[in-house]
Amino acid sequence: MTVSRRHVLGLAGLAAAATATGVAGCSQPDEPARMRTLIRNVRVFDGVRTIPRADVLISDDRIAEYDGRRVDVELEGTGKTLLPGLIDAHTHAFDGDLAQALRFGVTTELDMFCLPANLQRQRRLAAERDDVADIRSAGTLATAPNGHPSHIITPALAAVLGDAVGPFDTVAAPGQAQAFVDARRAEGIDYLKIVIDDGALSGNSLPTLSPETVAALVEAAHAAGLKTIAHVATTKTTAIALDAGIDGLAHVFSDVGPNDPAAEELAAKIAERNVFVTSTLSYIEVLAGERGGAELIQDERIASRLSEQARARLSGNATGASAHPNGATNAAGAADALHRAGVPLLAGTDATAFTPGHGASMHHELALLTRVGLTAEEALAAATSVPARCFGLTDRGRVAPGLRADLVLVDGDPTRDITATRSIVDVWRRGVRQSW
């Protein structure tokens, strides 16, 4: 289904809030007539704070100040909440995944490993159609020869995913860092992902990048204007990433218990270095053998939007990866320590073609974030304004005049009950109101 008609929304009463938070308005009385949709009397979580009642206008593909003039479509928002489109800060996109993400209000995915042929296909889809999520990507990640994730790319996986998996460039020494980054830039990556994982957490022994090679990759990427994100799993690999000058971490560490002083000390160091961390608590649950995400299938608000195939995939761990048996508990403790230390936490699921599932698992991730100490508003920010800020996505992540009309309308109040994000009424992507 290709959506072609554009709808437009509007926001009365948000101009002052937008100005106060540094977002310019876009009222242009002399502009050509556009399709305009007005949502009246709606509660708005704008990405940072909650506005109890507002009128919100979408003009073409942008949010605009409502000026009292005619509208083409008017929606009643009483009892509902309008959110910025959700941003999943850690995914792996394959065919069909961007469409599924959008069904659950995820309007942007930050992909963390996508081979060139697959990436070109996903980018083209996102550029040409409005019924799929937008995508940014790290393209080919930087890892050692035979390092993670080479060991989980099996012939069976290749048979399912085709050209989306297969041989890829690796880095063996610091002297290869510049050429690797240059090759990724030629592929059009948006940021560089660097894998620092010796397999110790899951009882394996994997080749991994040396600290010198990690530092060389970070230096080359920064010189090219790229942010760097490190795949880490332990306190040791996290420390290596910090020493190299990394910008963000793709996972919380999960090798030490919640009350271990090492977790507190490392969280303080991460905060001091102004490094952001993506949570991926949903995926760590899966790796630890827990099936917390199974509750999604039991929630009709989620299940009704899933295909039978997607439901089956949410029930298992088809990649064959594994982790520390206490990983989920340890990761929750790490996330709590990071939050208390003031580290920016980004909601990310590590969604794949299997489990966690695209879109659906973001709603489980939000619930997990509230369980480790974030308020509902903080969890919502972790899926909207915080990833937008950390990844430089200046046109989204907020409900404010002038920004992209990537929006989600839900029944109820997710600023009090985070599971209300599952009660999706409408989704707009680039101003296009979806119809399923």
Side-chain angles (χ1 to χ4, degrees):
M1 179 271 300
T2 301
V3 181
S4 57
R5 187 180 181 190
R6 291 193 173 276
H7 294 263
V8 225
L9 262 182
L11 264 190
L14 288 190
T19 302
T21 53
V23 182
C26 67
S27 179
Q28 298 179 15
D30 297 327
E31 66 185 6
R34 296 179 176 183
M35 188 73 174
R36 293 154 61 92
T37 296
L38 181 65
I39 305 179
R40 289 195 179 276
N41 306 313
V42 68
R43 180 187 303 105
V44 177
F45 174 73
D46 73 356
V48 175
R49 58 184 176 176
T50 302
I51 300 162
R53 183 175 175 180
D55 296 334
V56 181
L57 178 74
I58 303 174
S59 179
D60 194 26
D61 63 348
R62 298 283 154 173
I63 302 166
E65 297 176 29
Y66 180 50
D67 52 14
R69 293 186 296 167
R70 63 98 193 162
V71 295
D72 302 288
V73 178
E74 187 169 317
L75 302 174
E76 178 56 49
T78 301
K80 301 178 177 67
T81 303
L82 189 68
L83 309 169
L86 304 178
I87 301 172
D88 191 330
H90 190 143
T91 71
H92 300 280
F94 301 96
D95 292 343
D97 291 337
L98 296 181
Q100 180 172 306
L102 192 63
R103 289 181 67 86
F104 291 95
V106 174
T107 56
T108 302
E109 288 202 347
L110 302 180
D111 178 273
M112 290 293 160
F113 179 28
C114 198
L115 294 182
N118 183 36
L119 179 55
Q120 290 175 14
R121 191 161 61 246
Q122 305 308 324
R123 283 193 192 282
R124 184 167 56 249
L125 189 70
E128 295 175 355
R129 299 177 57 156
D130 286 312
D131 58 345
V132 300
D134 199 7
I135 186 171
R136 298 291 185 273
S137 182
T140 303
L141 51 70
T143 193
N146 299 313
H148 179 86
S150 303
H151 62 301
I152 60 175
I153 301 178
T154 63
L157 194 64
V160 174
L161 300 177
D163 68 357
V165 299
F168 54 89
D169 291 347
T170 57
V171 187
Q176 297 177 1
Q178 186 64 59
F180 183 89
V181 171
D182 290 344
R184 304 292 75 76
R185 290 180 65 202
E187 293 171 3
I189 67 169
D190 298 292
Y191 37 84
L192 181 69
K193 182 181 177 184
I194 302 170
V195 175
I196 318 170
D197 189 344
D198 59 9
L201 192 64
S202 55
N204 296 316
S205 179
L206 299 174
T208 190
L209 299 172
S210 69
E212 294 77 15
T213 303
V214 174
L217 285 163
V218 171
E219 182 179 3
H222 284 171
L226 296 171
K227 287 187 181 293
T228 55
I229 296 89
H231 165 104
V232 296
T234 64
T235 51
K236 175 184 175 182
T237 54
T238 298
I240 291 171
L242 294 178
D243 289 344
I246 209 76
D247 298 297
L249 302 173
H251 305 276
V252 297
F253 51 88
S254 55
D255 61 325
V256 295
N259 299 316
D260 194 313
E264 305 289 336
E265 293 169 8
L266 187 54
K269 186 175 182 181
I270 292 169
E272 181 184 345
R273 302 288 178 89
N274 296 315
V275 170
F276 61 83
V277 179
T278 303
S279 53
T280 67
L281 299 176
S282 296
Y283 191 56
I284 295 171
E285 270 192 344
V286 171
L287 294 182
E290 299 189 18
R291 292 293 179 265
E295 61 94 5
L296 293 170
I297 304 171
Q298 299 165 3
D299 189 328
E300 185 58 26
R301 295 173 294 181
I302 297 293
S304 62
R305 292 175 175 266
L306 288 170
S307 67
E308 287 300 323
Q309 183 182 49
R311 292 188 198 191
R313 286 179 171 178
L314 275 174
S315 300
N317 175 18
T319 64
S322 61
H324 193 288
N326 295 326
T329 299
N330 292 349
D336 175 42
L338 291 164
H339 177 240
R340 286 186 285 101
V343 174
L345 282 176
L346 283 59
T349 63
D350 207 346
T352 67
F354 304 102
T355 185
H358 288 257
S361 292
M362 172 55 77
H363 299 277
H364 183 58
E365 190 73 24
L366 291 172
L368 290 177
L369 286 171
T370 62
R371 291 177 200 171
V372 301
L374 278 69
T375 66
E377 282 191 334
E378 288 171 336
L380 292 170
T384 55
S385 62
V386 178
R389 183 182 75 244
C390 291
F391 280 85
L393 305 177
T394 58
D395 63 345
R396 67 196 72 187
R398 299 289 307 278
V399 181
L403 300 191
R404 276 172 59 120
D406 289 356
L407 298 163
V408 184
L409 182 66
V410 301
D411 266 327
D413 184 0
T415 68
R416 294 179 179 272
D417 172 13
I418 196 64
T419 69
T421 61
R422 305 175 186 199
S423 301
I424 295 172
V425 176
D426 274 310
V427 176
W428 289 262
R429 192 262 187 173
R430 209 160 48 182
V432 175
R433 186 183 183 188
Q434 304 301 305
S435 60
W436 293 292

